[in-house]
Amino acid sequence: MVENTHITKTISLEDYGITKAKVHYQLSPEELQEETIRLGQGVESSFGALAVNTGEFTGRSPKDRFIVKDEITEDKVWWGDINIPFDPEKFDKLYKKVADYLGGREVYVRDAYACADNKYRLNIRVVNEYPWSNMFAYNMFLRPEEEELDSFKEDWLILNAPGFKANPEVDGTRQENFAILNFKKKIAIIGGTGYTGEIKKGIFSALNFVLPVYKNTLPMHCSANVGEDGDTAIFFGLSGTGKTTLSADPERRLIGDDEHGWTAENTIFNFEGGCYAKVINLSEENEPDIYHAIKPGAILENVVLNEKGEVDFANTSITQNTRVSYPISHINNIQQPSRGENPKNVFFLTADAFGVLPPISKLTPGQAAYHFISGYTAKVAGTEAGVDEPIPSFSACFGAPFMPLHPTKYAEMLSAKMKDAGVNVWLVNTGWTGGPYGVGSRMKLKYTREMISSALEGKLEDVEYETHEIFGLQMPKTCEGVPSEILNPKNTWKDKEAYDKKARELAGFFKKNFSKFEEYANDEIMNGAPIG
Ligand code: ATP
Ligand code: MN
């Protein structure tokens, strides 16, 4: 695991306008962990993994993510409240402030890259104020060989200064924190937030523009794994729906847990070199692969530890979004390099807190396009004291916050690829059964895994199906290892009328959300809409 230790190369940051910095270049994870502890910014957990608190921000801040509007982006980006424009001159001024802020400090610099296929490789230089953020970059991006460092030239530069706070009135930001992408200069600046996810999703957003526009490659917010005979499966889904959990399958080699490209040659490649798993209620029994990945080199974020450094995974007093990052090699069964061929099965994961959608259903091409553009999951938000209600959440392409182009661009590419490759598309509800949140319960992970394995092994080819009355989805009547009565969600509700009512309500949310895309959708896609 000890890569890149004893690096003798030194670099200067003067060209970036960062003067008199004390540069720690390409430190090893061990050194970065020591630095973090020395600075009092983290502790060693009983796993041997570093534990840090990311500060005020324990999640991304989508409203503070901007894209510089210039001749490159102006006509291509889908501007709005997801892709918020930023003035080029304001960017230059703010960049200078961030560079000045980093000047004279101890900073941590890492050369890394994204995209596990050389044809698409994007070199990244990250300049971090904090050593643990730099260790995160080590974990999450791909790690160049030492000999590559001499001639390393970055394609993108990231300046990451969590301690720097913008002045919204002068700087043009919404508040003190910001993440701004500049496609012309190929620079991302991130300030005022220590949440590490901004670093990885910054580069993801950059690739989501660059790959479809210049490289004829579809970028996807999905996990991926590959079976013994080389069949690749991909799992789309919004946060918390199970991409990381379900792609860690001891029977299949992991390609990656979050960001992939699908090339014109019908191959898949991971953008990243590591995983970023949720650890809320993590248990060795339910998620052994992720649990065992927590060892020296991993970074736990925002978890609560006792005096012995033991982690209480049930404690959400800092945030529900507790996380661990680790290099992909911390998972036992991985595909190296992180590439796959011949995608055979595509899963759309949703955590439906209304308890309406079937635990697994097979989609027609039209339904696949409709559900991809819809990008549905549900959130459970506390409304008033003691009342928690599910709220539908639609995010186009299962990742709208990271998609600079219009959603239909990605959807068209995906539809074409799915037809080309002749894939099966499955909608999997990893959310509620037996009633909505508060009444029913979350689908057992064991059952979801069984359903996915059956789909992957072709065992759902020859079983009988029935059609969902309201969503028009094809539901298998039997599935090995899963009680048949849960396969049709209506059966799991005591009150059938209540089920129908909820299902119609959810169908209504789908239709309302889709109305903004109708003008782009053909008949085939519109036939994929709910029927009831
Ligand atoms: P992100 O995009 O934020 O990384 P993700 O899609 O990777 O999100 P996971 O990290 O896999 O989501 O989170 C799924 C969570 O739901 C885990 O905490 C997992 O333990 C829990 N879970 C409970 N039941 C299921 C189920 N039936 N299927 C999948 N996950 C489940
Ligand atoms: Mn994940």
Side-chain angles (χ1 to χ4, degrees), residues 238 350 354 374-379 390-396 398 506 509-510 513:
L238 291 163
T350 178
F354 291 91
S374 297
Y376 166 70
T377 193
K379 294 206 165 84
I391 297 171
S393 161
F394 293 93
S395 179
F398 296 103
L506 183 60
F509 291 135
F510 266 85
N513 170 70

Side-chain angles (χ1 to χ4, degrees), residues 307-452:
E307 329 67 67
K308 291 188 216 149
E310 292 160 347
V311 180
D312 177 3
F313 290 112
N315 190 323
T316 56
S317 59
I318 299 175
T319 175
Q320 300 254 334
N321 188 31
T322 53
R323 293 267 178 175
V324 62
S325 69
Y326 44 84
I328 195 164
S329 57
H330 281 212
I331 296 285
N332 278 333
N333 198 8
I334 57 170
Q335 169 88 341
Q336 279 177 309
S338 303
R339 297 202 292 261
E341 281 175 26
N342 197 18
K344 278 268 178 285
N345 287 281
V346 174
F347 296 89
F348 294 161
L349 307 176
T350 178
D352 174 24
F354 291 91
V356 162
L357 294 178
I360 189 163
S361 52
K362 197 171 181 185
L363 306 186
T364 63
Q367 287 172 335
Y370 184 89
H371 282 270
F372 184 69
I373 295 170
S374 297
Y376 166 70
T377 193
K379 294 206 165 84
V380 181
T383 43
E384 51 196 84
V387 183
D388 284 329
E389 242 182 43
I391 297 171
S393 161
F394 293 93
S395 179
C397 314
F398 296 103
F402 326 116
M403 302 294 169
L405 308 180
H406 194 279
T408 51
K409 282 261 183 256
Y410 306 100
E412 276 164 20
M413 285 181 92
L414 183 67
S415 285
K417 287 187 178 307
M418 289 192 305
K419 281 187 184 148
D420 220 41
V423 297
N424 297 313
V425 186
W426 309 89
L427 180 65
V428 172
N429 176 11
T430 65
W432 273 253
T433 178
Y437 177 86
V439 179
S441 56
R442 185 114 190 229
M443 182 60 59
K444 282 202 173 80
L445 186 49
K446 184 171 166 278
Y447 292 158
T448 301
R449 288 197 200 277
E450 291 281 359
M451 288 183 260
I452 286 174

